Amino acid sequence: QVQLVESGGGLVQPGGSLRLSCAASGSAFNLFAMGWYRQAPGKQRELVAGISAGGTTNYADSVKGRFTISRDNAKNTVYLQMNSLKPEDTAVYYCNAERRRTDYWGQGTQVTVSS
């Protein structure tokens, strides 16, 4: 069993930056693929960025070059550095852990990009 707790969301102006963190409890964090998803009002949840157990990363086209996902296995934490934020990045951001086709989700953290 894995529990995920996100933090770092908030209100930021267009062009600003935020760093989201997701702390995981439980064992074998290093064996999980981790990801950040987001869901805007009236829209489906979408993958923003993922990082495999081996450190391979992938990004949605809409965030490439602006967002960076990373993980610190010693701290059981995954991060999402978000730069050059746009109003369309406004959403609830969810942390995901996946292993052996089992998914775990955090409660979400709100990111609002507005002037």
Side-chain angles (χ1 to χ4, degrees):
Q1 190 76 5
V2 175
Q3 291 184 324
L4 305 172
V5 179
E6 301 102 332
S7 60
L11 173 64
V12 63
Q13 292 187 342
S17 297
L18 282 175
R19 189 176 82 153
L20 304 183
S21 299
C22 172
S25 65
S27 60
F29 173 80
N30 60 304
L31 300 180
F32 282 81
M34 302 297 297
W36 286 97
Y37 289 71
R38 66 186 180 188
Q39 187 166 19
K43 295 187 177 182
Q44 289 188 332
R45 190 174 297 189
E46 62 175 357
L47 175 67
V48 175
I51 185 165
S52 71
T56 301
T57 59
N58 63 286
Y59 298 92
D61 287 343
S62 59
V63 307
K64 282 181 181 177
R66 300 189 297 123
F67 290 11
T68 303
I69 188 170
S70 61
R71 64 191 299 161
D72 185 337
N73 290 337
K75 295 182 178 180
N76 280 18
T77 301
V78 63
Y79 304 97
L80 185 67
Q81 178 66 44
M82 305 186 294
N83 298 329
S84 303
L85 283 160
K86 305 175 181 180
E88 50 264 43
D89 294 318
T90 296
V92 178
Y93 283 71
Y94 296 91
C95 179
N96 171 270
E98 185 274 330
R99 185 183 178 212
R100 296 178 177 173
R101 300 185 181 182
T102 299
D103 284 283
Y104 301 89
W105 294 92
Q107 81 287 351
T109 186
Q110 177 70 46
V111 172
T112 302
V113 184
S114 175
S115 56

